[in-house]
Amino acid sequence: MRIKRGVTTRAKHKRILDAAKGFYGRRKNTIRIAKQAVEKAGQYAYRDRKVNKRNFRALWIQRINATVREEGLTYSQFMNGVKLVGLELDRKVMADLAMNQPESFTAIIGQVKAALEAKAA
């Protein structure tokens, strides 16, 4: 008795073509090309999830730096002071404070300045 695989093959093809929905030209309806396109799209998606995190961290650092420089510190001095004070806030939270609650972030900068002066003395 022979084995017929039409159902499984069609299911596989359908899964790939569904993933290729919205692609241009033969990439959306020719299985061989769609398979390559979907595979490449997955590689880009995986890579860019990491890049996205990198970009956001850079944005947070820029926001913190801009706010801190208005108070007469650099970003690196500020982060050193944060370590001295023992603050457990990450850059995401500090950037959010700098943007949305400047008065509370200014208080943090005051603490950091005091810690830096105490270390220098």
Side-chain angles (χ1 to χ4, degrees), residues 34-87:
K35 190 174 183 179
Q36 292 173 354
V38 167
E39 205 169 288
K40 192 66 170 178
Q43 290 172 348
Y44 285 139
Y46 177 81
R47 179 197 69 189
D48 291 342
R49 280 195 293 274
K50 313 276 178 275
V51 171
N52 203 23
K53 291 171 180 63
R54 207 178 304 153
N55 289 340
F56 267 106
R57 184 181 170 97
L59 175 68
W60 299 330
I61 289 171
Q62 288 165 8
R63 285 180 174 174
I64 293 167
N65 191 20
T67 308
V68 163
R69 280 183 185 270
E70 291 172 359
E71 302 291 326
L73 289 173
T74 63
Y75 172 76
S76 62
Q77 291 168 338
F78 174 73
M79 291 312 285
N80 181 33
V82 166
K83 302 269 189 301
L84 290 174
V85 173
L87 270 177

